[in-house]
Each structure stands twice: as structure tokens, then as C-alpha cells.
Amino acid sequence: MGGIETATVETTERLGRSLGFFSTFTIGTGTMIGAGIFILPGLALANAGPASIISFLLGGLISIATAISMAELATGMPLAGGSYYYISRTMGAAFGAVIGLGSWLALIFKGTFALIGLAQYFQLFYPLPLYFVAAATGLLLLAINYRGAKSSGSLQNVIVVLLMAILLLFIAGVSFSIEPANFSPVAPYGAVSVITTTGIIFISYLGLAELAAVSEEVKNPTKNLPRAFIASAVVVTLFYVGIMTAVVGFSGPGGAAMGAEGAAAGVATSVTPLADMADLMAGEYGKIAIALGALLATLSTANGAILSSSRFPFAMSRDALMPEWFVLVHEKYGTPHNAILVTGTVMVVLLFLFDIEELARLGGAFNILIFILLNMAVIILRNRTLPGYEPAFRDPFFPFTQVTGIAGSIILLPLLGFLPFLFILALVSVGAVWYRFYGRGRAMPEYNIFDLLEDTVEKAHIKPDSVAKVLVPISNPAHERDLLKLADCLGSDIICLHVIEVPDQTDLKLAQEAYHEKETEPDIRFKEKFDRYPARIGHKREYIVAFDHNIPNSIIEQAEIEKADMIILGWHETKGFQYYLGEVINGVLSTSKKQIALLKGHLPEKIEKILVAYNGKENSNHALYLAKKMAANTGASIEILRIISPDETPEEKKEVSEKLEDLVKSIPRVPVTFKLLERYSIEDAILEASNHSDLTIIGDSSQRFKVSLLGTLSQRVAIHARKPVMVVKKSKPISKESLNYLMKKYARKMYAKFGGGKEKGKEKGKQAG
């Protein structure tokens, strides 16, 4: 046994990345394919006729070009603030002030647009005043986000998949009723109307900006961000073009009989064109399906606007471009309540100031300005050096992609009308004045676009990450010492992880700042206990505080970052009179690729005897390996327990006993014995033996393919044991060997089932052992 020492441990803080590719994809796709696809087709058809298909295609091509640019920027700067951060770091704080306000206002306009769309589709179920429904929904979402109700990323994924399925069925159904005559003339209102309509529907593609705003929370951003950006833009463009083709070609009332202008009149005069078409095709059920999809889409879009409201003000506040009051975190709810309150209030007020087409034009105008500057940023950074900017993804079609995005956006801007153009000028003026009188001299970054063009920006210093062996997540002071003791016995490096769970409405960086302003007593005790823990001499220690929306994700991510060999978890939650795993442990067990040790109960002050439930399989061998490490560090003895069926033949029992003897002889420097029991119930035998040991270690099921996160045996032993139990689980990735193993296993079962009773009985006896 080694000596012990105490020392102050340096604390590391990290922000968690909880969004995988699909979750990131659904954020962008869900926002773009949400409200717009149910509201804009009629509006577009009224303004451009059949050429509205071209309008959506042009908007999609500009968005795809910008998505490629944003993918390059995001992999070089995967931080909160998205488009604001990219542009401010490329062009300076003055441009940042303009684009930060613009991005925030565009989000608000889109939220208001979605509220009106929701109210229009609500009329299909119950006729209430349009603006009453929109305002009431806006206030309800404001209250929910203010209090920090936990949203579900998996629910968002389901909603997006459901919407895509509904729309695909809609397009497929309409395809049988398309009338070619409805596509002629292509542009009954002139070529200019095609460009003007593109500007109107451009608000649909604002989801790319929201996607950029969560870049800091995306797992493996070098791969997932480019894929999510490009896939979202392409998929949404295809859906919009498909829906518009279906709407224009539909041969219902106002369709084939009246030609293109008649089709426009028939659909455009309806505020719920898709629902009306579904009603004609599939009756009341079709109408209800589309209406429900529209309600889900518009509600998701409006809620997303409020939920994301703190990201742009927060990023600006971090750079001293906005008062900190705006991003203060509520003491009780942990949400940026002021930002949410202002955003929600403005969103509701705008309902009574602009109609739905004006909202689309204004939101589209802000979006166009953002797209122009984002494409310009890529061109600048390709030709100048920004320290620390090393994108993992580079556009292979540079500069044609960026020129397409800039040229297309510039053509759209002046054709949107006088009001949107006036708003853009006002926004630029307000941003410039705000920077001059509030941010100048203190805002970040300190350089401007001219410094970058002249290559005079100083290089930043980058600190390397450290490496460790055993990760110990802690959340309960009463069990912290048990987990640290276990880690100290099993590993040479101890990484203590304290995860601060952040509401989805709150930016992670904002939560980190609030944590430092008001650090709670439990948080302080965690760190103090870790500092005082008498770790063995030579063992390295580190304390990490991680901020994440998802605790299991944070544990898995930090284990990957630290290259930990094992994650040690405490299983102490109770439900009624029974222990249950809980959300955190379930989340880690279901996705982690690391070795896991799960401790249920409290370790005694001195461990004298360790019981290892052994069956010769992989996890039980790993359990024995860990028992040897613990025994070497605590001075404990080991007892290997093997249970076999009483139905086994004497020869088979002797063979098992001889193998155990050889196993005991192969373990040096640790006192080891074995016990061979004949029992029909393996669980009862282990529970009986565990009463005479200080710690029982049991390997989880070695099956690669099973429904439960822990095997039935290990889980039941842990639940019913009176003494502490450690369940050991090794990662079992799906591989070619795994598939071969599974096929052979089931082939043996089928043979036993149909091959005779004697072989079947013998096989059962072996399995019991």
C-alpha cells in the first residue's frame, strides 16, 4: 500500500457538447421547414404564380451557398453567437453591433410570423379571434421559457421526422392530381415578381442562423457542423420546391379548370392552402393531419425563437456590446429571464403592427443582410490570417460559392420594397450609433476589419488539454468519498467531474458566468472534499466543472476528452422502497464506449474481503482484474465465487473446480481463494455469499445485443444486496465478430430446440453454471 498526500487541486471548467448530427440537423431543418412551408405557398403563388417554384429554388440555392460558407466558419469558430461571432471576429465590433441586432430582430420577426400562422391554422379547429390566439400563444411560450421548463431534444427530433413524413405523403398524394396546364404561363406577373417573391419567402431559410447559434454545443463539430448545415439547406430546399410544385399543379378548385392565374387565386385566397388541398384529396382526416402538422411546426418555430433569444444578446454582452442586465440569470429558474421577457414581449407587440406578408419581407431582409456578410467573411478569412482560425472544413468550390451567395442576396435586397429597405438602413444606423456611444473603446474584438486586412492581428495563445485515467462524476456530497476511494484504488489519475445542469433556455457561457457570481454551498463542498481527499502519493488529480444541458452527455464527452479508461458512477437513487438506475446512469450506460464501474451502497472504512462473482466470461474476468487492483491497494483478500447447476455431471464439476484452482494459482501477491457452489438460483447464491464480504464485484452480462442497460442478474443482485456491490460493464461495440457470435448463438439454440431433449437439458445445465 502506498502513502497518502493532500494538496489543492487545480480546477478545470468546460462547456458540454450535447448535440449530435441528427439533433443539429433537426434544429436547422425544423426551424426552416416549420412555419414557412405551411404559410408561404399561398403568399408566394399570389405574388409570382407558377414561377413561385423558381422563387423557392433561387432562395434555396442562395441558402445552400451560404450554408457551405457557414460550415467553414463554424468549424473554425465553433462558439456561441453563431453569425454574430463569425462576422464580429472577421470585420470588427462595429459590424458585430449591426449584425447582432439584426440577427436578434430577424429571430423575433420569424417568431411573430409563426404565431400568426399558428393562429390561422387554429381556426380550422375552433374559430377564435386571430390575434387573440396568436398573442395568447406568445405569452404562454414566454411564461414557459421564463420559468425554464425543460424541453426535449428527442421530442424535437420526433416532430421534425413527423413533419417530413406528413409532407412527403402530401406531395405523393398531390402528384396524382397534378395538371400540366396549371404551370402555364410560368410568370404571369413578370420576371421581376420572381425575384421579389424570393425575397418574401427568404425568411424560411433563417434556420441556418439559429443552427449557427448552437455551434458551441455540437459534438465533433469538425464533422457534424458541415454535414448539418449543408444537409439542412438541401433538404429544406427540396421540400419547398416539392410543395410548391404540388400546390401549383393541383387540379382541384381553382386548379386545372382555371389555369395558372386561377390556381393562384384558388390557393392564394386561402390562409391555409395545404389544409384545404388535403381536405379535397383525403377528406376531413387529411385536413386534420395537415392542420396538426402545421400547429406543431408553427409552435416549434415560435418557441425556438424565444428559447434561442438569449444567444445573440449574450454573445454581444460577452463582448461588452450590450448591458449585462440583458443576460442576467434568474436566481430561481436559471434562465436569462430579461432576454426572454424582452424578446417575447416584442414578438407579441409586432403582431399588432405588421401583417403576415410584411413580417415575411422584414424578416427576409434581415436574413439577406446576414447572408451577404457571412459570405464576405469567408472570402476575407481565405485571404488574410486570423489567429486561432483553422477550419477543419474548407469549401472546395471557393470563391464561386461565396460569389453566388453575395450576388444573389444583393439582387434580392432592393426588390423587397421600401419598408424592408428602410428598416435595413435604420438597423445599420442604430448599430453604428450604438457602437460609437456604447461599445467603442471597450467592445471586443479590439481590432477592426482594416487590422485584419493588413494582417496586424496578434496571435492568440492556445493551452493544451490534459489526460487522465479514471473519471468520477459527483453530484451527492454524501457519496463523493466512496467514489473517490474507489477511483484511487483502481486508477493512477483521478478526474473528479462536477456537472452543472443548465436549462435549455440558457446559454452555457452565460450559466458559467452566473455560477461564478453566485457559487452555491454544495458546489464549494464538492471542491473542498476533493482537495482534502488523501490520494495516494504519485496519483495525479484534476477537478473539472462542466456546464451542459445534458448531464449524461457531459460525462461521456469529458471521458472522451480526458481519454479516461473508466467511468465510476454512484448508484444511490431510490424510488419508493427500490433502487433504480435514474436518467443519468441510464444515459451513460446506453451510449458510453468506456469501461464503467457502478457502485451501489457505501464502502466500509477498511475493506478486508472482496467477493467476485465469476462465470469465466469477459465482464467477470474484468471484474476479477479490478478486484486484484483493489486488493493490492487495500490489503484485502479475494474470494472467487462460481455457481454451477446441481444437474451438472461429476466430470463437469471437477473440470470447473480444476480451472478455478489454476486461476487462483495464477494470481500472485494477493491472498485469493475460491468457492464452488451448486445452486439452481445464481442470484440467491451470490446474495448469500455477499453477506460475508465487504464488497461484491460482479461483471454485467457479456451480451452485445440486449434490451436492458444492465443484465437482470447484476441489477437484481445490486438491488437486494445488504453490502456494497460494484457492477462492472465493458463496452461492446457492434462488429463483424459480434454479428457472427449472435448468429452462432441462435443457431445453437435452434439446434437445441429441435435436436433432442438430452442435449437440451445438458445445455441448460451449462448455462446455469
Side-chain angles (χ1 to χ4, degrees):
M1 295 175 62
I4 59 175
E5 62 178 357
T6 60
T8 300
V9 182
E10 183 179 352
T11 301
T12 302
E13 294 183 0
R14 295 200 181 104
L15 306 182
R17 296 183 179 272
S18 57
L19 300 175
F21 163 74
F22 191 68
S23 295
T24 311
F25 168 77
T26 56
I27 288 174
T29 305
T31 307
M32 290 188 284
I33 210 171
I37 206 161
F38 292 96
I39 302 169
L40 290 173
L43 194 62
L45 194 58
N47 282 274
S52 55
I53 300 172
I54 302 174
S55 297
F56 275 101
L57 181 60
L58 288 175
L61 291 175
I62 295 171
S63 298
I64 292 170
T66 307
I68 295 173
S69 294
M70 292 178 78
E72 181 168 328
L73 292 168
T75 58
M77 295 181 274
L79 297 170
S83 53
Y84 159 77
Y85 192 85
Y86 309 151
I87 292 168
S88 67
R89 265 39 185 187
T90 305
M91 303 179 184
F95 280 89
V98 173
I99 209 64
L101 291 173
S103 299
W104 182 53
L105 286 173
L107 203 61
I108 292 175
F109 273 102
K110 179 148 191 179
T112 306
F113 173 79
L115 287 176
I116 293 182
L118 180 145
Q120 288 176 337
Y121 273 90
F122 186 84
Q123 307 301 307
L124 299 177
F125 295 95
Y126 195 83
L128 284 175
L130 186 72
Y131 289 100
F132 170 77
V133 175
T137 305
L139 293 174
L140 178 63
L141 293 176
L142 170 60
I144 291 173
N145 283 279
Y146 186 93
R147 292 176 62 87
K150 186 175 178 64
S151 66
S152 171
S154 59
L155 179 61
Q156 169 73 4
N157 297 347
V158 171
I159 289 175
V160 171
V161 171
L162 183 62
L163 287 175
M164 292 171 67
I166 291 173
L167 293 173
L168 283 173
L169 288 173
F170 177 83
I171 294 171
V174 174
S175 64
F176 295 102
S177 303
I178 286 179
E179 177 56 51
N182 284 346
F183 295 93
S184 180
V186 175
Y189 310 116
V192 175
S193 68
V194 179
I195 307 299
T196 304
T197 304
T198 303
I200 295 173
I201 58 90
F202 213 68
I203 192 174
S204 305
Y205 298 100
L206 185 59
L208 289 175
E210 288 194 39
L211 185 54
V214 299
S215 298
E216 196 170 28
E217 299 171 26
V218 177
K219 298 177 183 177
N220 195 3
T222 58
K223 291 184 178 180
N224 287 331
L225 280 174
R227 294 172 182 172
F229 273 116
I230 298 170
S232 294
V234 171
V235 168
V236 169
T237 299
L238 292 175
F239 266 103
Y240 272 114
V241 171
I243 288 291
M244 280 311 304
T245 303
V247 170
V248 171
F250 182 59
S251 59
M258 294 182 285
E261 293 188 12
V267 177
T269 53
S270 170
V271 292
T272 56
L274 270 62
D276 294 339
M277 292 169 61
D279 188 19
L280 291 170
M281 288 189 302
E284 188 69 17
Y285 290 111
K287 180 180 180 179
I288 290 174
I290 288 293
L292 287 175
L295 288 177
L296 279 175
T298 51
L299 187 65
S300 176
T301 300
N303 185 62
I306 297 179
L307 188 145
S308 304
S309 62
S310 69
R311 299 189 185 276
F312 294 110
F314 163 70
M316 296 176 70
S317 175
R318 182 170 59 183
D319 289 342
L321 274 174
M322 188 167 282
E324 291 185 2
W325 172 89
F326 211 92
V327 287
L328 289 177
V329 174
H330 197 284
E331 291 185 6
K332 180 178 179 181
Y333 302 126
T335 59
H337 56 292
N338 292 332
I340 290 173
L341 188 63
V342 172
T343 301
T345 303
V346 174
M347 194 179 294
V348 173
V349 170
L350 289 178
L351 287 168
F352 304 96
L353 299 179
F354 304 103
D355 62 32
I356 194 165
E357 183 172 345
E358 289 172 335
L359 288 170
R361 287 178 182 269
L362 290 169
F366 291 137
N367 203 25
I368 289 169
L369 178 63
I370 295 168
F371 278 20
I372 292 172
L373 294 179
L374 286 170
N375 284 292
M376 289 178 63
V378 174
I379 294 175
I380 292 171
L381 292 174
R382 278 293 189 101
N383 292 280
R384 293 296 181 268
T385 301
L386 179 64
Y389 176 75
E390 297 178 357
F393 170 81
R394 289 183 176 270
D395 176 16
F397 306 108
F398 176 88
F400 302 105
T401 305
Q402 290 67 39
V403 171
T404 300
I406 293 171
S409 299
I410 290 176
I411 291 172
L412 296 177
L413 199 55
L415 297 177
L416 280 175
F418 177 73
L419 183 62
F421 194 70
L422 180 64
F423 262 71
I424 290 294
L425 292 178
L427 174 67
V428 173
S429 301
V430 169
V433 171
W434 181 264
Y435 169 74
R436 180 176 177 83
F437 291 102
Y438 183 85
R440 190 174 183 179
R442 61 175 180 175
M444 294 292 291
E446 296 179 356
Y447 60 85
N448 55 43
I449 188 171
F450 300 106
D451 295 325
L452 186 60
L453 292 176
E454 294 169 3
D455 272 341
T456 59
V457 180
E458 295 182 0
K459 293 187 176 181
H461 178 66
I462 301 175
K463 296 181 179 179
D465 288 329
S466 59
V467 178
K469 296 291 184 181
V470 181
L471 184 77
V472 185
I474 47 109
S475 60
N476 189 334
H479 305 118
E480 180 178 0
R481 189 175 182 86
D482 290 322
L483 299 181
L484 292 178
K485 182 175 182 178
L486 197 58
D488 200 27
C489 290
L490 296 178
S492 58
D493 297 350
I494 306 173
I495 302 296
C496 188
L497 173 65
H498 180 40
V499 182
I500 306 296
E501 187 173 19
V502 181
D504 289 343
Q505 292 85 352
T506 304
D507 186 274
L508 296 178
K509 190 70 176 178
L510 178 60
Q512 184 184 32
E513 294 175 359
Y515 168 82
H516 286 293
E517 291 176 4
K518 192 175 181 180
E519 195 171 5
T520 64
E521 185 177 342
D523 296 326
I524 296 172
R525 288 205 305 269
F526 283 137
K527 179 63 166 61
E528 289 178 347
K529 275 198 170 188
F530 188 62
D531 286 343
R532 292 197 303 266
Y533 181 77
R536 299 175 187 280
I537 294 175
H539 284 195
K540 297 179 182 179
R541 297 187 295 163
E542 185 180 357
Y543 188 85
I544 296 175
V545 178
F547 301 82
D548 207 317
H549 299 301
N550 183 287
I551 295 178
N553 168 79
S554 183
I555 294 172
I556 295 168
E557 180 191 16
Q558 300 306 321
E560 291 293 338
I561 291 174
E562 294 294 337
K563 299 180 181 178
D565 299 311
M566 174 178 286
I567 301 172
I568 297 179
L569 298 168
W571 180 7
H572 302 287
E573 300 179 75
T574 59
K575 188 173 184 179
F577 296 100
Q578 297 292 330
Y579 278 85
Y580 78 113
L581 290 175
E583 292 182 5
V584 173
I585 294 178
N586 276 334
V588 176
L589 287 173
S590 61
T591 55
S592 175
K593 296 180 180 179
K594 300 292 183 181
Q595 316 307 329
I596 294 174
L598 186 60
L599 177 66
K600 186 235 127 177
H602 295 278
L603 294 175
E605 192 66 31
K606 182 173 177 59
I607 300 175
E608 296 182 348
K609 183 179 179 181
I610 300 172
L611 177 72
V612 179
Y614 186 82
N615 64 1
K617 295 182 181 179
E618 185 175 8
N619 275 332
S620 69
N621 281 317
H622 188 59
L624 180 58
Y625 165 76
L626 295 179
K628 288 186 288 184
K629 293 197 70 173
M630 286 201 67
N633 285 311
T634 61
S637 63
I638 299 175
E639 182 176 70
I640 301 173
L641 177 66
R642 179 70 189 268
I643 298 104
I644 60 175
S645 170
D647 296 333
E648 294 281 4
T649 64
E651 292 78 13
E652 290 170 332
K653 294 175 184 178
K654 182 179 179 182
E655 182 183 353
V656 172
S657 179
E658 289 174 351
K659 287 183 178 179
L660 288 174
E661 289 178 359
D662 293 339
L663 180 63
V664 168
K665 292 177 183 178
S666 68
I667 302 175
R669 297 187 297 276
V670 175
V672 184
T673 59
F674 76 87
K675 180 184 289 186
L676 183 63
L677 296 179
E678 298 181 26
R679 297 286 192 279
Y680 287 109
S681 173
I682 299 175
E683 176 191 336
D684 291 343
I686 296 175
L687 287 173
E688 178 186 338
S690 69
N691 292 329
H692 307 291
S693 65
D694 298 307
L695 173 67
T696 298
I697 303 179
I698 180 170
D700 187 41
S701 168
S702 295
Q703 296 179 27
R704 288 173 169 81
F705 305 91
K706 62 181 188 312
V707 176
S708 61
L709 301 178
L710 281 183
T712 304
L713 175 63
S714 59
Q715 196 165 173
R716 292 179 65 180
V717 168
I719 289 173
H720 297 293
R722 297 177 183 177
K723 298 289 188 72
V725 174
M726 184 171 77
V727 180
V728 178
K729 183 178 179 66
K730 293 190 71 176
S731 174
K732 288 285 188 178
I734 296 176
S735 62
K736 181 179 179 181
E737 291 74 17
S738 304
L739 294 172
N740 289 335
Y741 164 79
L742 185 66
M743 293 173 65
K744 290 177 181 178
K745 174 183 173 182
Y746 282 97
R748 287 196 301 269
K749 283 188 175 182
M750 293 300 292
Y751 175 77
K753 183 176 181 180
F754 299 105
K758 184 177 180 180
E759 290 80 5
K760 183 176 179 181
K762 187 173 182 179
E763 181 67 16
K764 282 185 176 180
K766 289 183 178 180
Q767 288 177 358

